[in-house]
Amino acid sequence: MSKLKIERVAVRNLRHLSRDYYSMCLGPWPKGCRSKPGQFVHVGLPESDIFFRRALSIAWVDPDRDESHFIFKVFGRGIRLLSRCNKGDEVELLGPLGVPFKMPKKNETCLLIGGGVGFPPLYFLAYRMIEKGRDPRTIEFFYGGRTSEEIVERTRLRKLGVKFRPVTDDGSFGEQGLVTEAVTRYLDSTPPRNPRIYSCGPAPMLRATDELARRYDIPGQVSLEAPMPCGFGVCLGCVVPLRAGGNARVCTEGPVFEIGEVLL
Amino acid sequence: MTPDLKVKLGSVELNNPIMTASGCCGYGEELAQAFPLSRLGALVTKSITREPRLGHPSPRTVEAASGMLNAIGLANVGLDCFISDKVPFLEKQDTTIVVNVAGSSIGDYVEVCARLNDVPRVDMIEVNISCPNVKEGGIEIGTDPTMTEKTIAEVRRVFSRPIIAKLTPNVTDISVVARAAEAGGADILSLINTLVGTSIDFNTWRPRLTNNRGGLSGPAIKPVALAAVDRVYQSTNLPLIGIGGIASAMDVVEFMLVGATAVQIGTSLFKDPQGPVNIVRDLKEYLKQRNLSSVTKLIGQVRKY
Ligand SMILES: Cc1cc2nc3c(=O)[nH]c(=O)nc-3n(C[C@H](O)[C@H](O)[C@H](O)COP(=O)(O)O)c2cc1C
Ligand code: FES
């Protein structure tokens, strides 16, 4: 009955992907399987001295096995401790939380623009859109990282059949440069029909995406990150300023916002 | 026999001594998704000011050892919006409603409290003279006994139901300000608000809060809060509400033993939104095991050396 309940869920699998990236599977967790792309869970470690839970985007869910999957990057002590969990260890979960992505219209071309740890919600979005019958070739998946090692879960992504467009700062995999530069080149060379942007990643990338979207007048949404003490809207610690004035809470009004809505 | 959890704060009787702390449960709407608010002794709203406030820019919270720092800066919807948009929800809740009030001048406090006096569902007000995160008002009043007495006295003239004065620990002797609030006409004292603190990023050399400093809360401050309640219990006759790092029924027992009649749960709500319900359950169990018929039997009963 109560939506805000901390649950204890076991780690079913935790795997090092590359560099600071890990993939984690939690289950059984029936509630998780009802989550939508763009939503997150607030994950804490019981019996640890880490005070706050951390927000992790859901990367995909497997209702048949009651599993939720995550991909995360280690930054800070909290997530490092999470990355050291063993199979069978329990984590504390609150969620799924937040506003999901809006699904595109049938005739739209989806430009998914992800950087680094912004990958999971976009992967979930692509996965869900295809599950719902969208032609994977109408999904342009731009995925940027500093080096090849930051482009994780490529096989999984390729399997979806989307147009995979990797971009790295050093050119070690895919196009060289910034992911938003690659998107600009694409828009200039092969303007898509009815484009719609979905983006998630580090702040500078989101800023560039937001600017690009407004310059080309492309609608869409961005998913933001913020430190979240509570995750359910009461502490006001996660706010971002809105272009129209006022603030919005990333945990409850977000993490997904319309392009141009937030002053990034 | 089930132990009686009822306590009395001034003329108001609470179902149990467990309240929420201001700024940690918004205006109640979100928390109501965790449990029916009737399970609380009382709900305390976020500080309300005359005008809406956005607060400080992010980042305005950061984790600390066993707690957190915040410099929210009294972000709130403002008095008008509170009355039109938030009170209707609170009216439907079967619990005691305490509205926390902040201002940047005595005039602000008076204006807000006078308006709240006309809202019958507001059972009590808690006067926040202890916010460390705003320049004027707040802590400037709460660290000055004369200003404290004056502010409470002015508010007393316009608000006819019980008044709680919320005290800051950022003073040399908290009992001096406590007595000043009592002299001004406060019915109840709540303590403590957060302790001034900060945190610096050693890579960027910048403070981790845009306000450059903030207020420390959570289990880290519990010993300080307990000592403050103990000190004030010795020096005034008013009922006290203990606040600071409370996360379990055992914490509540500690606060009541040094003199608290009720307690507020703040930061630990973030860790567990259903915490208050569990605390009430565990407190009842504790009293049962001790064969105590009423929770009031704990108040001030610490056996000192
Ligand atoms: C995020 C946050 C916001 C707060 N906002 C207010 C506020 O608006 N007014 C107020 O009187 N106290 C405010 N407080 C202080 C708490 O009500 C409480 O006095 C303090 O946090 C100590 O209790 P705790 O350790 O249980 O959190 C705030 C505390 C936190 C952590
Ligand atoms: S994390 Fe507390 S309001 Fe968003």
Side-chain angles (χ1 to χ4, degrees):
Chain A
M1 146 241 123
S2 69
K3 209 179 122 212
L4 291 177
K5 186 178 164 64
I6 305 278
E7 294 174 88
R8 286 217 177 184
V9 181
V11 174
R12 273 204 179 149
N13 194 8
L14 199 137
R15 201 159 54 88
H16 181 233
L17 293 172
S18 74
R19 274 245 177 117
D20 299 336
Y21 288 83
Y22 290 81
S23 97
M24 178 175 70
C25 163
L26 302 177
W29 190 39
K31 228 166 142 187
C33 297
R34 294 200 291 271
S35 57
K36 300 194 172 113
Q39 288 192 299
F40 66 94
V41 298
H42 220 207
V43 185
L45 295 169
E47 274 85 64
S48 92
D49 63 329
I50 301 290
F51 202 68
F52 290 164
R53 287 181 297 269
R54 299 290 194 273
L56 289 185
S57 288
I58 300 154
W60 73 93
V61 295
D62 185 340
D64 295 336
R65 308 173 64 169
D66 250 352
E67 286 176 353
S68 297
H69 292 256
F70 303 85
I71 295 164
F72 62 87
K73 181 184 178 179
V74 169
F75 62 95
R77 219 164 57 87
I79 298 280
R80 172 151 295 118
L81 284 179
L82 184 66
S83 76
R84 291 187 187 144
C85 278
N86 296 308
K87 210 172 167 163
D89 286 356
E90 285 188 330
V91 296
E92 288 181 346
L93 295 184
L94 187 66
L97 300 166
V99 176
F101 286 116
K102 272 189 211 136
M103 286 294 161
K105 294 196 199 86
K106 266 221 166 67
N107 63 356
E108 283 174 327
T109 307
C110 298
L111 312 187
L112 276 51
I113 308 170
V117 79
F119 171 72
L122 297 179
Y123 176 80
F124 192 12
L125 176 66
Y127 181 94
R128 182 57 53 85
M129 292 193 296
I130 294 163
E131 205 174 50
K132 295 218 154 161
R134 171 168 286 267
D135 176 356
R137 284 162 310 172
T138 65
I139 301 172
E140 303 280 345
F141 203 116
F142 292 87
Y143 182 7
R146 269 171 309 181
T147 67
S148 170
E149 283 178 305
E150 286 203 328
I151 313 290
V152 298
E153 297 282 28
R154 304 167 191 175
T155 321
R156 197 176 288 283
L157 186 54
R158 282 209 178 96
K159 251 194 233 154
L160 287 183
V162 298
K163 290 200 185 142
F164 177 29
R165 297 173 178 274
V167 191
T168 50
D169 291 6
D170 63 356
S172 54
F173 184 55
E175 274 186 75
Q176 196 203 330
L178 299 176
V179 69
T180 42
E181 291 167 356
V183 177
T184 308
R185 280 194 291 272
Y186 159 83
L187 287 171
D188 291 340
S189 62
T190 41
R193 275 179 44 237
N194 308 315
R196 171 170 290 274
I197 285 176
Y198 295 96
S199 185
C200 186
M205 191 212 88
L206 285 182
R207 222 170 286 133
T209 304
D210 185 78
E211 201 188 282
L212 172 153
R214 287 185 296 130
R215 184 155 28 97
Y216 286 84
D217 197 19
I218 303 175
Q221 293 183 308
V222 292
S223 177
L224 308 186
E225 275 191 17
M228 293 182 186
C230 74
F232 58 97
V234 292
C235 75
L236 305 183
C238 63
V239 300
V240 287
L242 298 179
R243 185 161 274 126
N247 285 331
R249 294 167 297 184
V250 173
C251 70
T252 34
E253 278 95 42
V256 173
F257 293 93
E258 295 298 318
I259 296 254
E261 194 184 355
V262 175
L263 280 171
L264 291 166
Chain B
M1 177 201 60
T2 49
D4 186 4
L5 288 186
K6 290 196 180 68
V7 294
K8 235 176 150 191
L9 288 178
S11 57
V12 176
E13 188 177 71
L14 307 188
N15 285 332
N16 64 58
I18 311 303
M19 312 169 65
T20 56
S22 179
C24 301
C25 59
Y27 311 100
E29 290 131 321
E30 294 86 2
L31 206 59
Q33 299 177 1
F35 59 86
L37 299 183
S38 58
R39 306 285 282 275
L40 288 171
L43 178 100
V44 184
T45 69
K46 176 79 191 159
S47 281
I48 305 294
T49 53
R50 198 165 58 103
E51 303 297 332
R53 286 176 60 98
L54 289 177
H56 299 303
S58 294
R60 54 192 198 175
T61 54
V62 61
E63 191 163 339
S66 290
M68 65 179 282
L69 289 156
N70 91 79
I72 303 294
L74 297 182
N76 78 97
V77 296
L79 180 62
D80 288 336
C81 176
F82 173 71
I83 291 176
S84 62
D85 293 8
K86 306 297 177 186
V87 169
F89 169 81
L90 293 172
E91 262 166 356
K92 286 185 240 134
Q93 306 308 312
D94 185 18
T95 190
T96 301
I97 304 292
V98 181
V99 178
N100 182 297
V101 176
S104 41
S105 67
I106 293 185
D108 281 359
Y109 284 96
V110 171
E111 197 177 325
V112 175
C113 294
R115 288 272 303 282
L116 292 174
N117 195 48
D118 297 333
V119 182
R121 193 58 188 85
V122 177
D123 298 307
M124 307 192 227
I125 53 167
E126 178 175 61
V127 189
N128 178 5
I129 46 171
S130 43
C131 179
N133 296 324
V134 291
K135 278 200 196 71
E136 60 298 299
I139 203 168
E140 264 181 17
I141 296 176
T143 51
D144 178 345
T146 314
M147 285 293 283
T148 296
E149 181 174 343
K150 197 161 171 232
T151 306
I152 301 297
E154 294 283 324
V155 167
R156 175 78 286 168
R157 288 183 11 193
V158 297
F159 193 80
S160 56
R161 298 182 293 282
I163 295 176
I164 306 168
K166 183 165 180 178
L167 308 181
T168 173
N170 301 299
V171 289
T172 314
D173 183 354
I174 194 167
S175 69
V176 176
V177 189
R179 281 195 301 269
E182 185 175 20
D187 302 284
I188 301 140
L189 303 175
S190 63
L191 61 160
I192 56 176
N193 208 318
T194 53
L195 287 149
V196 171
T198 194
S199 174
I200 311 294
D201 184 325
F202 49 81
N203 286 318
T204 61
W205 297 15
R206 276 182 161 277
R208 290 197 169 96
L209 299 166
T210 60
N211 187 47
N212 295 319
R213 45 179 232 167
L216 182 64
S217 65
I221 71 168
K222 196 186 98 184
V224 178
L226 270 173
V229 171
D230 180 49
R231 171 101 182 114
V232 172
Y233 188 65
Q234 312 300 322
S235 45
T236 79
N237 294 314
L238 299 180
L240 306 180
I241 303 170
I243 323 169
I246 297 172
S248 71
M250 299 313 119
D251 293 339
V252 177
V253 171
E254 285 190 64
F255 273 88
M256 294 193 73
L257 288 173
V258 294
T261 296
V263 297
Q264 294 179 9
I265 319 282
T267 304
S268 80
L269 279 175
F270 306 160
K271 285 211 91 157
D272 185 0
Q274 296 187 316
V277 176
N278 299 335
I279 290 175
V280 169
R281 181 199 61 206
D282 297 348
L283 185 59
K284 211 180 256 172
E285 195 50 39
Y286 176 88
L287 296 171
K288 245 189 229 165
Q289 275 171 17
R290 293 257 162 178
N291 261 322
L292 294 168
S293 58
S294 161
V295 71
T296 56
K297 297 238 152 82
L298 294 169
I299 302 171
Q301 295 307 307
V302 60
R303 294 159 57 202
K304 285 203 182 158
Y305 293 103

